[in-house]
Structure formats: structure tokens, C-alpha cells
Amino acid sequence: MSFISDADLMALALEAREKSYSPYSHFAVGAALVDKNGNVYQGCNIENAAYSACVCAERSAFFKAVSSGVTSFEKIAIVGGKAGEKPTEVAAPCGVCRQVMREFCKPDQFRVLLGTSPDDCKSYLLEELLPVSFGPENLQEA
Ligand code: THU
């Protein structure tokens, strides 16, 4: 059962994108992450003059949730594109963000919504975006 529709979650990702702090790349990204109870955590990319300190929108949403004590998730919507303009293309999550998703989400259940608007989004399973992955179970026997 889903608490929030894919279209509504995309709208919340677009809203989050408005908060993007991206003065260096001028590429604004927003994310909206739903937990297993239907709570939504929004995130945006936050850049830094020391470039390595930049954080992606997806991770800012995950870190907001995890630091609130939440570690079970259902799906995430992601939108991105040139700051100040409507997104025109899919903004796929970077490899680091996919790995952060892998830490907390079941690859065959967690869904990643990519698109440009509430009317234009496609749903992927995490395992499609990060096949043959390494996760917490791999360290259980270690
Ligand atoms: N960015 C994200 O927020 N998410 C991604 O998965 C890819 C890239 C941000 C980071 C940086 O602020 C800008 O987009 C350009 O790379």
C-alpha cells in the first residue's frame, strides 16, 4: 500500500528543488523520500565553495530521515535540471546516492521515480539502477 501517489511525490520533489543551493553548477536538484509510514522527507543539493563538500539532493533527503530515526523507506522522487528553469530531462541519481539507497532500502522493492514533472515520471526498482550490488548483508558474516 502506498500513502502518496507517484505524481504527488514528484510535485514534492519539485517543491524541494526550489531550495537547491547550487551557485557553482547552476544545476538544481530536488528529492522527496517516503518512509514506510507515509512521512515525506524532502532534500535538495547543497553545494560548497570547497567542491568536495557538496551533497546531492537524494542524500540530503536520506540523511534528514535517518538522522530523525527513520530507516525504512518505500520510494523516492528525483527531479533536476538547469537552475531557474523547469526540468527538461531525467536527472538520474549518482552512484554514491544509489549506494546510500542500497544501505537502507530493499533493492527489489524500493522504487526510484525519475522524470520532469508529476505527469512525466518513470518508476525504477533500485536493483535496476544498482545491479549486482554490495550491501549490509555482505558484512554479516565478516
Ligand atoms: N546532484 C544531485 O543532487 N544528485 C545527483 O544524483 C547528481 C548530482 C547535484 C550535485 C551538484 O550540486 C549538482 O547536481 C551538479 O553535479
Side-chain angles (χ1 to χ4, degrees), residues 21-77:
Y21 178 77
S22 42
Y24 305 107
S25 72
H26 307 288
F27 190 86
V29 186
L33 172 67
V34 193
D35 73 11
K36 288 291 182 196
N37 297 316
N39 300 304
V40 176
Y41 299 85
Q42 291 171 293
C44 63
N45 57 329
I46 305 168
E47 299 187 345
N48 194 286
Y51 294 165
S52 61
C54 294
V55 69
C56 293
E58 299 90 322
R59 272 177 288 149
S60 78
F62 266 91
F63 295 163
K64 189 190 276 185
V66 174
S67 60
S68 304
V70 175
T71 54
S72 294
F73 302 102
E74 182 197 347
K75 59 185 173 181
I76 189 170

